[in-house]
Amino acid sequence: MTLLATWIASDNKKEGLRHSSIYITTDSRISWEKGKVFDGGQKVFGSKSSPDIFGYVGDVTFASTVISKLKNSVDDGLIFTGDMMPMDKFDRIFNFISSNLNSYPLSKRKNFVIIHCTRAGTKFFCHRIGWSKILQFNCQSVIINNISELVIAEGSGAVAFRTLYYSKYDRPEHNDYRTSRAVFHCFTEILQKTKDYTVGGAAQVVGLYRSGNARFFGFIHENKRYYLGDEVNSEQNLNFVEWRNERFERCAPENMKLIVGAQRQPKT
């Protein structure tokens, strides 16, 4: 399995709290029986031509394949029109996934959850498509409040993650209470402390802002740079994405320290 978290960020405007961005983060581990693992699996995806991002937990072979095809179809304009509303997008995504599953061998099907986030105007939306051998498809729109908070957590590490988040980070006395960074703080803490061999590797993140399409982030952890689970060395182009550390602070990839003028977040 894996661990996935989606969170919303909001800021204060004259008219009150308004959504500013939405993110999906996952670990990078693919696991098999007897503790065999691979920490380089891509689990977050995003369109460069449409404000749509995706993540998954569960059946690696089916979910990663169908999302890759879906993203390419979105990028090439085969699935959505430019003014399509979120629920219409959701319906087309569901039809795409279910059509692919129908041709997928029944004996090879495993449980999975695919998360889809999108934007219409300045509002963000989140949809969950789950499939299991017992319930078959279970789909829903996830409620998003105006405050910065966790939207949804999925995967084998979700119980431990939610327990830590609500007992520590989502409390008024915590420095990160009701902030965007609280969810990512909690997520990276779970990655560091978990004993669950199915959860591990570096965090990977994709997000949407009020304008533009998918943005991927590099992750700096223990003086190393990671992008979609892979370590990035100094010979590669380091300025192709924004880089964040465990506290979701903006960092310079060259020295892996906070960039000049970046807001320093309180340590926890």
Side-chain angles (χ1 to χ4, degrees), residues 128-180:
R128 178 189 186 276
I129 300 175
W131 185 89
S132 69
K133 292 183 178 180
I134 297 175
L135 299 175
Q136 301 298 298
F137 275 109
N138 179 18
C139 307
Q140 64 188 100
S141 295
V142 183
I143 295 173
I144 298 180
N145 299 313
N146 279 338
I147 57 176
S148 298
E149 64 175 357
L150 174 69
V151 174
I152 194 168
E154 297 284 349
S156 52
V159 172
F161 172 79
R162 284 193 293 263
T163 299
L164 179 62
Y165 177 75
Y166 289 114
S167 66
K168 178 180 178 181
Y169 287 89
D170 194 41
R171 299 182 68 85
E173 62 270 20
H174 196 279
N175 287 333
D176 290 340
Y177 178 63
R178 294 290 164 84
T179 64
S180 170

Side-chain angles (χ1 to χ4, degrees), residues 196-208:
D196 184 349
Y197 86 92
T198 69
V199 177
Q204 48 187 269
V205 191
V206 65
L208 286 175

Side-chain angles (χ1 to χ4, degrees), residues 114-135:
I114 293 173
I115 301 299
H116 165 230
C117 298
T118 189
R119 184 190 68 241
T122 59
K123 292 195 67 176
F124 295 90
F125 300 84
C126 179
H127 299 113
R128 178 189 186 276
I129 300 175
W131 185 89
S132 69
K133 292 183 178 180
I134 297 175
L135 299 175

Side-chain angles (χ1 to χ4, degrees), residues 4 12 55-56 61 79 159 171 182 199-200 206 212 218 233 238 263:
L4 175 151
N12 276 307
Y56 77 88
T61 303
I79 303 293
V159 172
R171 299 182 68 85
V199 177
V206 65
N233 62 49
L238 300 178
Q263 181 180 1

Side-chain angles (χ1 to χ4, degrees), residues 65-81:
T65 300
V66 76
I67 295 177
S68 294
K69 293 198 298 180
L70 174 62
K71 185 198 79 69
N72 290 339
S73 296
V74 171
D75 284 343
D76 290 337
L78 298 176
I79 303 293
F80 303 150
T81 60

Side-chain angles (χ1 to χ4, degrees), residues 37-244:
V37 301
F38 169 61
D39 286 342
Q42 182 178 355
K43 298 180 181 179
V44 297
F45 302 80
S47 172
K48 293 299 185 180
S49 66
S50 180
D52 295 277
I53 57 176
F54 306 88
Y56 77 88
V57 300
D59 189 337
V60 173
T61 303
F62 176 77
S64 63
T65 300
V66 76
I67 295 177
S68 294
K69 293 198 298 180
L70 174 62
K71 185 198 79 69
N72 290 339
S73 296
V74 171
D75 284 343
D76 290 337
L78 298 176
I79 303 293
F80 303 150
T81 60
D83 57 352
M84 188 168 286
M85 297 303 293
M87 287 308 299
D88 295 324
K89 286 185 174 183
F90 179 51
D91 288 341
R92 294 202 177 183
I93 288 171
F94 172 77
N95 290 337
F96 188 96
I97 293 171
S98 60
S99 175
N100 274 265
L101 189 64
N102 286 338
S103 59
Y104 195 70
L106 183 62
S107 62
K108 299 298 182 182
R109 295 180 192 177
K110 300 177 182 177
N111 298 353
F112 67 83
V113 173
I114 293 173
I115 301 299
H116 165 230
C117 298
T118 189
R119 184 190 68 241
T122 59
K123 292 195 67 176
F124 295 90
F125 300 84
C126 179
H127 299 113
R128 178 189 186 276
I129 300 175
W131 185 89
S132 69
K133 292 183 178 180
I134 297 175
L135 299 175
Q136 301 298 298
F137 275 109
N138 179 18
C139 307
Q140 64 188 100
S141 295
V142 183
I143 295 173
I144 298 180
N145 299 313
N146 279 338
I147 57 176
S148 298
E149 64 175 357
L150 174 69
V151 174
I152 194 168
E154 297 284 349
S156 52
V159 172
F161 172 79
R162 284 193 293 263
T163 299
L164 179 62
Y165 177 75
Y166 289 114
S167 66
K168 178 180 178 181
Y169 287 89
D170 194 41
R171 299 182 68 85
E173 62 270 20
H174 196 279
N175 287 333
D176 290 340
Y177 178 63
R178 294 290 164 84
T179 64
S180 170
R181 62 186 177 269
V183 179
F184 196 68
H185 281 190
C186 183
F187 191 89
T188 56
E189 183 175 345
I190 285 290
L191 287 187
Q192 293 169 11
K193 294 182 177 180
T194 184
K195 303 299 182 183
D196 184 349
Y197 86 92
T198 69
V199 177
Q204 48 187 269
V205 191
V206 65
L208 286 175
Y209 288 88
R210 286 194 181 105
S211 62
N213 301 318
R215 297 193 192 184
F216 291 87
F217 296 84
F219 175 53
I220 294 173
H221 174 61
E222 294 182 348
N223 244 14
K224 294 181 180 180
R225 311 173 196 88
Y226 296 92
Y227 181 73
L228 297 177
D230 290 340
E231 186 174 352
V232 177
N233 62 49
S234 58
E235 296 178 354
Q236 295 172 268
N237 179 14
L238 300 178
N239 294 306
F240 62 102
V241 294
E242 289 184 25
W243 293 84
R244 302 296 177 103

